[in-house]
Amino acid sequence: MCIMNPSDNLIISYTTQNGDWYVSKFYEYLHLKLEQIFKITFTYIPIQELNELHKDSRISSCLNSNNFFNWFNLIIYNPKTDQYFLHSSHDFTFEALQDGLERGYDIVKFSCVPDTEHNLYTKYKELTVPSVYRLENWSDYETILNQPKCKHQINQAFFIGLIHNDRARLMPELSKTNLLNVVDKYSTQPKCKEDYFKTLSIYKYNLSFNGVAGLCYRDLEIFGLGNFNLRAPYTCLTYNNIQKDVHYIELFDKELISNIMDPSIDTFTQMQTRIEEVMDFCNTKQGQEILDQASLWFKENVNPDKQVAIMCKIIEESNILN
């Protein structure tokens, strides 16, 4: 089904009405840079309007992550070829892709940060290009870069976030050791982003446990602040991959996490021993190299201009602009 277009211009669609939200600000910036770099003019249509034009009774809201026209997506449509390019910043990416395909759209490429353990990853692997992940707010990148580099004062691993999904089963056990400090975001909400980043910075280690998705903007924040990212097993893909023992340290493997969540298994000693091993490693030369590599990855993959360069390459290679 083609999009009604009074001209032969390529159509670009995304949402712009969300303040400092990184997704909409990045899409606006990418749109501008695409026109400058490739010397083309797009016709812009807000994704809400496209959703109204092509509303499906099964999935009617732009807020629905399963909707091809959801607010986390950027769509480029070529009226000459009747083809689409889709980029998603959502944690549930493949559902929107599947919706577009079920509508009969010819999608040439799908750009996202796929979770390789998602049940649809194998099915759509050939159509998918790993791309860039995002911070929460557009201003966060500069705020993180300008965060004063303070000496780590607290020798604990710190986590602040929503306690849901697997986290809800993990956190009560993790809280039993004095080497970890686990805080529910709702119980202790920082007044502003600067306070939040400052709080993260005073801890030498930060925790990142999967909530809804396998990658979180917390991971990027930790890299940018220069702290050790101790995380759960990582299964996502980015354009330039985040690698175990290069950019982050896997604190617990899948087996230990499963055991921790089982109340019938006593894992305290094993958990405590593993945390101590990781902290000792972080004080070595190899540990410092991980910090350096993580900081470099942040600057090369989270800087908005670097992200635009990656996206421009992906879009050009998809041939959607031809």
Side-chain angles (χ1 to χ4, degrees):
M1 181 185 297
C2 64
I3 296 174
M4 294 182 64
N5 183 19
S7 72
D8 288 331
N9 289 352
L10 292 161
I11 290 174
I12 191 166
S13 182
Y14 52 89
T15 186
T16 61
Q17 302 172 6
N18 291 284
D20 193 39
W21 188 40
Y22 193 94
V23 172
S24 58
K25 288 293 185 182
F26 177 67
Y27 289 165
E28 283 188 81
Y29 190 50
L30 176 59
H31 177 183
L32 173 67
K33 290 297 183 179
L34 283 169
E35 293 196 329
Q36 291 176 349
I37 293 168
F38 294 106
K39 311 298 183 188
I40 56 177
T41 300
F42 289 93
T43 295
Y44 169 70
I45 302 177
I47 206 161
Q48 296 92 324
E49 290 186 17
L50 284 190
N51 184 56
E52 288 299 317
L53 286 170
H54 302 285
K55 184 172 288 188
D56 189 307
S57 59
R58 300 169 303 124
I59 308 170
S60 60
S61 172
C62 283
L63 297 176
N64 190 326
S65 62
N66 294 351
N67 189 351
F68 182 72
F69 300 105
N70 82 65
W71 287 12
F72 285 82
N73 292 355
L74 175 139
I75 297 166
I76 296 175
Y77 173 69
N78 188 324
K80 294 180 180 178
T81 62
D82 195 20
Q83 292 178 319
Y84 295 80
F85 171 90
L86 173 65
H87 172 81
S88 181
S89 297
H90 205 283
D91 294 327
F92 299 108
T93 57
F94 289 109
E95 289 80 358
L97 170 65
Q98 185 163 263
D99 176 51
L101 294 171
E102 289 176 352
R103 292 171 186 254
Y105 299 158
D106 183 2
I107 302 170
V108 292
K109 277 298 173 184
F110 176 48
S111 164
C112 67
V113 174
D115 188 333
T116 58
E117 293 193 348
H118 192 288
N119 64 314
L120 294 175
Y121 172 69
T122 301
K123 183 177 182 179
Y124 297 122
K125 181 179 178 180
E126 296 305 314
L127 195 59
T128 302
V129 182
S131 57
V132 297
Y133 200 66
R134 59 189 169 82
L135 292 164
E136 182 179 20
N137 296 321
W138 184 245
S139 58
D140 285 350
Y141 182 75
E142 291 298 327
T143 304
I144 290 170
L145 285 185
N146 294 328
Q147 181 68 30
K149 301 301 180 184
C150 61
K151 183 179 180 181
H152 297 111
Q153 301 172 34
I154 303 176
N155 195 42
Q156 287 180 309
F158 179 67
F159 174 89
I160 181 170
L162 299 176
I163 308 301
H164 57 182
N165 297 345
D166 284 353
R167 292 177 189 168
R169 299 167 63 194
L170 274 171
M171 295 311 169
E173 293 301 311
L174 299 181
S175 298
K176 292 178 180 179
T177 170
N178 61 6
L179 296 177
L180 306 181
N181 184 7
V182 178
V183 177
D184 187 337
K185 184 177 180 179
Y186 283 132
S187 66
T188 308
Q189 184 77 4
K191 294 180 180 178
C192 62
K193 272 300 181 71
E194 287 80 1
D195 288 345
Y196 166 69
F197 293 140
K198 182 178 179 180
T199 300
L200 290 184
S201 294
I202 63 176
Y203 287 85
K204 188 171 184 177
Y205 320 94
N206 294 148
L207 296 170
S208 184
F209 285 102
N210 297 347
V212 174
L215 181 62
C216 178
Y217 41 74
R218 180 181 299 100
D219 291 288
L220 310 188
E221 294 164 354
I222 295 169
F223 291 160
L225 292 169
N227 297 354
F228 286 103
N229 186 355
L230 312 185
R231 74 171 339 275
Y234 175 72
T235 57
C236 293
L237 296 175
T238 49
Y239 188 82
N240 295 306
N241 269 324
I242 298 170
Q243 301 175 52
K244 176 183 172 182
D245 296 331
V246 177
H247 304 109
Y248 73 94
I249 299 170
E250 186 178 283
L251 182 59
F252 304 136
D253 60 22
K254 291 181 180 180
E255 181 180 2
L256 182 51
I257 287 177
S258 178
N259 290 343
I260 291 171
M261 292 191 295
D262 186 341
S264 68
I265 302 176
D266 183 3
T267 57
F268 179 81
T269 300
Q270 186 181 2
M271 182 176 69
Q272 183 88 351
T273 300
R274 174 57 182 162
I275 297 169
E276 290 172 350
E277 288 174 351
V278 168
M279 289 183 171
D280 287 343
F281 171 79
C282 289
N283 290 317
T284 66
K285 180 181 178 182
Q286 293 94 329
Q288 182 58 49
E289 289 173 353
I290 288 177
L291 282 186
D292 294 341
Q293 287 298 316
S295 178
L296 179 61
W297 189 95
F298 178 81
K299 293 173 183 175
E300 291 297 316
N301 294 277
V302 186
N303 179 315
D305 286 304
K306 299 285 188 179
Q307 291 193 335
V308 162
I310 291 170
M311 287 301 303
C312 283
K313 185 175 182 181
I314 291 172
I315 291 168
E316 182 179 27
E317 290 178 351
S318 76
N319 292 320
I320 192 64
L321 304 181
N322 296 339

